[in-house]
Amino acid sequence: MTEPLKLYNTLTRSLEIFKPIKKGHAGLYTCGPTVYHYAHIGNLRAYVFEDILKRALKMNDYKIKHVMNITDVGHMTSDADTGEDKIIKGAKREGKTAWEVAVFYTVQFKKDIKALNIIEPDVWCRATDHIKEQVALIQKLENKGYTYIIPEDGVYYNTKKFENYEELGRLNIEGQKEGARVEFIEGKKNKADFALWKFSPKEEKRDMEWESPWSKGFPGWHIECSAMAMKYLGEQFDIHCGGVDHIQVHHTNEIAQAEGATGKKFVNYWIHNEFLIVENSEKMAKSGDNFITLATIREKGYDPIDYRYLLLTAHYRSKLTFSWEALTGARTALTKLKNYVVDFKTGSNNGDWKKYKEEFENSINDDLDTPKALSIMWMLIKDENIGAGKKREAILHFDKILGLKLEEAKEEDIPQEVKELIRKREIARTEKKWKESDETRAKLRALGYEVSDTQEGQTVRRIV
Ligand SMILES: [Zn+2]
């Protein structure tokens, strides 16, 4: 018997058995990208984790409705609702309109998702397509007395009016030093108050602005997620995900907006992934020299799926340190795995892998423990009592969760890394650098390739 699916709920700070609102169904909302730049690989970690969660829910026979937003307006460079709208910033940087920038980076983001073999959401929703819903939600909050206006600035949420405001983030707003969490804006009643609707600056015509009951302007970032999540998933739904950086402000504000408006519990399970850290560096950000995208990964000769494998080697709630050495390690492991899948095409169907199936599924159901799941797969590969045919069947079954595209592994796939080493060895041999030639041969062997020298040159054979 497989254990039931358990997930770590940020709301209760504990591991809980997943119990859906509607039997057999799971409603899932995941905060999407702000489309003003390419996604960096740190951003992408969240989407891979959410993809594993989705596949795990599917493994447990849930019918899933997954909604992801595209933030194409209103996400300010500072959490305090000051600074610039990120999309406008992107437009200035590139000499385009805000609309053009948003469309361009939405397309790029969807390409990244595809390259990482992430299953697309059932509903993509853009903030700019849902202004009406956001205005309606703000009006509802206004009618219930949750809002106030700061002249020439915007409509603000009065966080003091919402009793559970500090719950998700375990916040202590009063005890915080000024400016510790958010900067202070003139006219704000409480430190944590945030903008629901921002007024367009009088002196400037924005690319993106709309009429509203208050003044011409644009929605704040947080209101879009509450409005769209409730539109597509209902006032109460099962799971809401995002990075840990969303806990204290964005998700806290989403709860205040939704629960303030409906008086009902918004979401049952809040699940958050940890950061990706770049070696010798801070958290990855879009400014600074550690801005690595999938394009950077490809330029260096890696496949995006190598990166997916690397992500699965760490638990989603642990910080993961990215380095090129670690990515090389992931690529080597994935290459070996693909070779096994190809070689196992011919082989006996002896033995059965029931025990491994159960262990694999239990580790996934144990708060998505992908490192353990991977190790179980490697143990199966080494098990001499199970025939190759059965092993292949098992690996491909596991890959429905892991999503490493192992079904597509082909015989002729000599990885780039191996090709480069063969070339390097060829050069070493013509230059009679025998030591280097031998070292390269050893490296190839470690990758699962045996090279021999014939009169025609080097020939390469895969070893399993
Ligand atoms: Zn969101």
Side-chain angles (χ1 to χ4, degrees), residues 360-379:
F360 182 92
E361 290 179 356
N362 279 344
S363 52
I364 292 296
N365 276 353
D366 184 15
D367 197 28
L368 316 178
D369 192 345
T370 51
K372 191 166 174 206
L374 283 175
S375 75
I376 288 161
M377 182 163 67
W378 284 108
M379 263 155 39

Side-chain angles (χ1 to χ4, degrees), residues 86-142:
K86 288 184 178 181
I87 308 288
I88 305 283
K89 192 180 165 193
K92 282 185 190 155
R93 184 185 65 230
E94 299 184 13
K96 292 179 181 167
T97 67
W99 293 101
E100 286 166 343
V101 164
V103 167
F104 179 80
Y105 287 110
T106 302
V107 171
Q108 300 310 311
F109 177 73
K110 289 188 179 177
K111 282 187 187 165
D112 284 351
I113 292 292
K114 196 160 184 244
L116 286 166
N117 200 25
I118 290 168
I119 301 167
E120 278 202 53
D122 303 289
V123 179
W124 287 107
C125 43
R126 293 194 303 176
T128 53
D129 287 337
H130 296 80
I131 301 297
K132 196 177 76 202
E133 287 82 354
Q134 296 173 71
V135 167
L137 182 56
I138 300 168
Q139 281 179 308
K140 216 167 171 185
L141 289 166
E142 188 176 42

Side-chain angles (χ1 to χ4, degrees), residues 29-32 69 221 225 240 246 250-251 254:
Y29 187 91
T30 56
C31 287
N69 65 302
W221 170 38
C225 283
H240 194 313
H246 285 342
H250 183 52
H251 288 168
E254 274 192 51

Side-chain angles (χ1 to χ4, degrees), residues 38-108:
Y38 292 104
H40 61 61
I41 56 170
N43 301 136
L44 293 170
R45 183 177 189 194
Y47 306 108
V48 171
F49 137 65
E50 289 155 359
D51 188 52
I52 296 290
L53 170 62
K54 224 169 119 173
R55 290 167 186 259
L57 286 164
K58 215 171 154 197
M59 180 185 93
N60 287 280
D61 295 324
Y62 286 103
K63 264 183 99 95
I64 304 150
K65 183 169 181 186
H66 176 201
V67 180
M68 196 194 297
N69 65 302
I70 299 280
T71 299
D72 56 356
V73 69
H75 191 170
M76 310 305 270
T77 47
S78 149
D79 268 346
D81 302 308
T82 56
E84 245 180 320
D85 183 327
K86 288 184 178 181
I87 308 288
I88 305 283
K89 192 180 165 193
K92 282 185 190 155
R93 184 185 65 230
E94 299 184 13
K96 292 179 181 167
T97 67
W99 293 101
E100 286 166 343
V101 164
V103 167
F104 179 80
Y105 287 110
T106 302
V107 171
Q108 300 310 311

Side-chain angles (χ1 to χ4, degrees), residues 162-370:
F162 182 67
E163 208 186 321
N164 291 335
Y165 187 76
E166 298 181 334
E167 189 186 3
L168 179 76
R170 300 284 202 264
L171 303 170
N172 175 12
I173 307 279
E174 283 302 315
Q176 269 177 359
K177 278 195 224 104
E178 198 70 66
R181 177 168 166 275
V182 288
E183 294 161 43
F184 194 72
I185 290 185
E186 197 63 43
K188 265 206 213 179
K189 292 190 175 169
N190 313 292
K191 280 183 244 181
D193 293 357
F194 57 94
L196 297 163
W197 187 265
K198 291 282 278 184
F199 304 152
S200 292
K202 287 252 173 340
E203 65 282 2
E204 132 190 17
K205 163 104 188 73
R206 279 176 55 95
D207 283 345
M208 291 175 165
E209 56 184 5
W210 294 266
E211 295 297 340
S212 81
W214 308 284
S215 174
K216 191 182 274 181
F218 59 100
W221 170 38
H222 317 297
I223 196 76
E224 66 169 273
C225 283
S226 300
M228 295 193 287
M230 289 198 282
K231 172 172 178 168
Y232 294 105
L233 294 167
E235 291 181 346
Q236 296 182 285
F237 61 93
D238 300 298
I239 306 174
H240 194 313
C241 302
V244 286
D245 50 334
H246 285 342
I247 298 172
Q248 294 212 340
V249 179
H250 183 52
H251 288 168
T252 287
N253 292 349
E254 274 192 51
I255 292 173
Q257 293 165 150
E259 298 190 1
T262 67
K264 296 177 195 162
K265 188 178 185 187
F266 180 39
V267 173
N268 287 338
Y269 301 86
W270 287 87
I271 308 177
H272 296 96
N273 67 286
E274 256 297 347
F275 286 139
L276 181 82
I277 312 286
V278 177
E279 212 173 22
N280 306 323
S281 181
E282 299 287 305
K283 172 197 152 196
M284 190 173 285
K286 289 206 166 95
S287 49
D289 52 10
N290 65 357
F291 181 40
I292 302 168
T293 64
L294 282 193
T296 326
I297 279 184
R298 284 199 190 90
E299 277 160 25
K300 293 196 182 251
Y302 298 89
D303 187 288
I305 301 296
D306 299 336
Y307 178 57
R308 184 176 172 112
Y309 187 97
L310 176 64
L311 290 177
L312 301 189
T313 62
H315 191 267
Y316 75 91
R317 284 196 291 118
S318 313
K319 286 194 181 72
L320 171 62
T321 303
F322 176 86
S323 69
W324 293 104
E325 290 74 38
L327 189 59
T328 303
R331 178 172 64 182
T332 305
L334 185 58
T335 303
K336 279 190 188 163
L337 195 54
K338 283 183 186 166
N339 291 343
Y340 280 121
V341 171
V342 172
D343 291 336
F344 289 162
K345 262 187 187 165
T346 49
S348 86
N349 273 321
N350 292 342
D352 85 74
W353 52 281
K354 229 168 47 209
K355 184 184 90 182
Y356 290 100
K357 181 174 188 283
E358 198 176 307
E359 282 181 26
F360 182 92
E361 290 179 356
N362 279 344
S363 52
I364 292 296
N365 276 353
D366 184 15
D367 197 28
L368 316 178
D369 192 345
T370 51

